[in-house]
C-alpha cells in the first residue's frame, strides 16, 4: 500500500493551489506587520531609555539635596 | 362421535404478501431527472506524498505553536499596560511631591533647571542645523564677489592672443565702463575653484582658499 502512487482529483488540486497562494499572501502580510511591531518596539525601548535617564537625573538631584540637608555643617 | 381436533405444526412458513393498493384518483408527480454528463475524471499524481503529508502536519504544528506564543504575548502586553498605568501614577506622585511640597520649603532661584541629557540634545540639534546649512551652501556653490576687474586671458607662456581680422570685439565684463581692452601686463590667472566636498574640514579649506582669492583680487585692484 505504501508503494502505491497517490492521485488527487484535478478540482481538489486546483483548490489546493488557490489555498496555498492565499496562505503565501497572508504570510507576507504577517511579515510586514511583524516588522512594524519591531519598529514600534524599538521606539518604545528608546522612550523607556529616556525615562530611565530622566529618573536617574532626578535621583541624583534628590540625593544631592538629601546629602546637603543631612550635612548642614558644611554650609 | 367426538370430533377430535387435529393440529398440524406447520413446517413451512406462509408467505404473507401485503396488498398495497394506491388510491386511484391520486397521481404521483414525476420527478425530472437531469442527467449530468460526467466527463473523464482527470487526476494529478503526487510525486512524494509522504513528505507532502509530513510538511503539512509540521506546518500545522508550527501554526499552533505560534498561536500559543501569541496568547502569551497578549498576556505580557496586558501586564505591560497595567505597569505603565502604575508608572504614570508614581511619576504623578513624584511630581506632586517635588513641585508642590519640596519647592515650598526651598528658596526660589533664578537659575533654570538644566539636565545633562537636555544639554546633549541641544548640542546635537545645533550640530544638525550647522550640517544642514553647510549642505545647502555646498549645493549653491562657492560665492564669488561681484567685482569690477578686467581679467585678460593669456597663453601659458604669457603672450597675448592676437585679435582675428573682421572679428567682433571682445565682450566687456559686467560692471565695467565701455572701453577697449588694451594689452596690458600679463595678469596671473586666479587659481581654479576646488569642487565642493561634503566633509567639514574640506569646507574650512574651501573657505580659507576663497578668502585668499578675495585678498588677491583686492590687491590686484
Amino acid at each position: 500500500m505504501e508503494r502505491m502512487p497517490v492521485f488527487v482529483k484535478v478540482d481538489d488540486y486546483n483548490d489546493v493551489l488557490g489555498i496555498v497562494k492565499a496562505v503565501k499572501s497572508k504570510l507576507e502580510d504577517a511579515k510586514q506587520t511583524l516588522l512594524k511591531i519591531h519598529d514600534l518596539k524599538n521606539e518604545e525601548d528608546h522612550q523607556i531609555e529616556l525615562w530611565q535617564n530622566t529618573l536617574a537625573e532626578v535621583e541624583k538631584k534628590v540625593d544631592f539635596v538629601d546629602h546637603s540637608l543631612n550635612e548642614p555643617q558644611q554650609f | 362421535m367426538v370430533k377430535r381436533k387435529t393440529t398440524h405444526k406447520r413446517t413451512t412458513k406462509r408467505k404473507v404478501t401485503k396488498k398495497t393498493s394506491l388510491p386511484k384518483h391520486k397521481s404521483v408527480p414525476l420527478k425530472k431527472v437531469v442527467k449530468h454528463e460526467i466527463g473523464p475524471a482527470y487526476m494529478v499524481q503526487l510525486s512524494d506524498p509522504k513528505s507532502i503529508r509530513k510538511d503539512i502536519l509540521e506546518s500545522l504544528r508550527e501554526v499552533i505553536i505560534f498561536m500559543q506564543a501569541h496568547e502569551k504575548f497578549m498576556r505580557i502586553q496586558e501586564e505591560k499596560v497595567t505597569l505603565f498605568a502604575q508608572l504614570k501614577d508614581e511619576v504623578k506622585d513624584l511630581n506632586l511631591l517635588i513641585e508642590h511640597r519640596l519647592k515650598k520649603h526651598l528658596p526660589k532661584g533664578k537659575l533654570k533647571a538644566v539636565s545633562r541629557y537636555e544639554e546633549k540634545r541641544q548640542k546635537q540639534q545645533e550640530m544638525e542645523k550647522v550640517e544642514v546649512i553647510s549642505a545647502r551652501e555646498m549645493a549653491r556653490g562657492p560665492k564669488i564677489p561681484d567685482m569690477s576687474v578686467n581679467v585678460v586671458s593669456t597663453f601659458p607662456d604669457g603672450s597675448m592672443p592676437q585679435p582675428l581680422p573682421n572679428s567682433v570685439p571682445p565682450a566687456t565684463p559686467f560692471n565695467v565702463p565701455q572701453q577697449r581692452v588694451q594689452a596690458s601686463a600679463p595678469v596671473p590667472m586666479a587659481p581654479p575653484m576646488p569642487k565642493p566636498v561634503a566633509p567639514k574640514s574640506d569646507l574650512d579649506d574651501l573657505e580659507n582658499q576663497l578668502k585668499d582669492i578675495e585678498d588677491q583680487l583686492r590687491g590686484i585692484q
Side-chain angles (χ1 to χ4, degrees), chain B residues 55-174:
Chain B
D55 288 336
I56 289 168
L57 289 168
E58 277 179 359
S59 56
L60 279 169
R61 200 193 80 177
E62 294 291 322
V63 165
I64 290 162
I65 290 166
F66 184 87
M67 286 168 80
Q68 285 172 349
H70 182 260
E71 285 294 316
K72 200 177 175 183
F73 181 78
M74 292 298 282
R75 264 181 267 147
I76 291 167
Q77 268 203 327
E78 281 173 13
E79 207 180 313
K80 204 166 72 171
V81 167
T82 51
L83 284 169
F84 274 127
Q86 196 180 338
L87 180 71
K88 192 181 176 182
D89 291 333
E90 284 165 4
V91 167
K92 216 176 179 180
D93 293 336
L94 260 172
N95 208 21
L96 273 166
L97 284 166
I98 290 168
E99 281 287 317
H100 295 281
R101 286 199 187 175
L102 192 63
K103 248 189 176 179
K104 280 180 185 176
H105 297 287
L106 293 170
K108 290 178 186 178
K110 290 180 183 179
L111 292 169
K112 285 182 186 178
V114 177
S115 66
R116 283 180 196 173
Y117 174 71
E118 279 179 14
E119 272 183 34
K120 282 181 189 175
R121 214 175 162 186
Q122 280 172 3
K123 277 183 186 175
Q124 273 181 352
Q125 283 175 356
E126 280 169 12
M127 292 288 280
E128 280 170 11
K129 277 181 188 175
V130 166
E131 282 177 11
V132 165
I133 289 163
S134 62
R136 278 181 193 169
E137 282 175 4
M138 290 287 199
R140 282 175 200 167
K143 285 183 184 177
I144 300 164
D146 190 19
M147 290 183 160
S148 56
V149 173
N150 281 331
V151 178
V152 180
S153 61
T154 57
F155 288 120
D157 58 349
S159 59
M160 290 291 291
Q162 290 180 0
L164 294 166
N166 298 326
S167 64
V168 179
T172 53
F174 192 69

Side-chain angles (χ1 to χ4, degrees), chain A residues 36-52, chain B residues 73 76-84 87:
Chain A
K36 283 179 190 173
I37 290 168
H38 188 70
D39 291 337
L40 279 170
K41 196 202 161 238
N42 287 337
E43 274 187 50
E44 216 178 44
D45 291 340
H46 180 65
Q47 282 297 322
I48 288 166
E49 206 184 317
L50 290 177
W51 288 347
Q52 271 180 338
Chain B
F73 181 78
I76 291 167
Q77 268 203 327
E78 281 173 13
E79 207 180 313
K80 204 166 72 171
V81 167
T82 51
L83 284 169
F84 274 127
L87 180 71

Side-chain angles (χ1 to χ4, degrees), chain A residues 2 4-10 13 37 44 46 48 50-51 53 55 57-58 60-62 65 69, chain B residues 41-47 49-50 73 80 84 87 91 94 98 102 106 113-118:
Chain A
E2 288 178 356
M4 295 288 279
V6 176
F7 290 90
V8 177
K9 279 186 186 175
V10 169
Y13 183 75
I37 290 168
E44 216 178 44
H46 180 65
I48 288 166
L50 290 177
W51 288 347
N53 292 335
L55 275 174
E57 283 184 22
V58 169
K60 272 185 193 175
K61 286 171 184 173
V62 167
V65 169
L69 285 171
Chain B
Y42 291 108
M43 306 283 260
V44 177
Q45 188 183 3
L46 298 174
S47 57
K50 276 188 185 177
F73 181 78
K80 204 166 72 171
F84 274 127
L87 180 71
V91 167
L94 260 172
I98 290 168
L102 192 63
L106 293 170
V114 177
S115 66
R116 283 180 196 173
Y117 174 71
E118 279 179 14

Side-chain angles (χ1 to χ4, degrees), chain B residues 17-34:
Chain B
T17 52
K18 284 183 182 178
K19 283 181 185 176
T20 51
S21 58
L22 288 168
K24 285 178 186 177
H25 297 286
K26 283 184 185 176
S27 61
V28 179
L30 291 167
K31 286 181 185 176
K32 288 182 182 178
V33 178
V34 180

Side-chain angles (χ1 to χ4, degrees), chain B residues 184-199:
Chain B
S184 58
V187 176
M189 274 282 283
M193 295 294 179
K195 287 180 184 179
V197 185

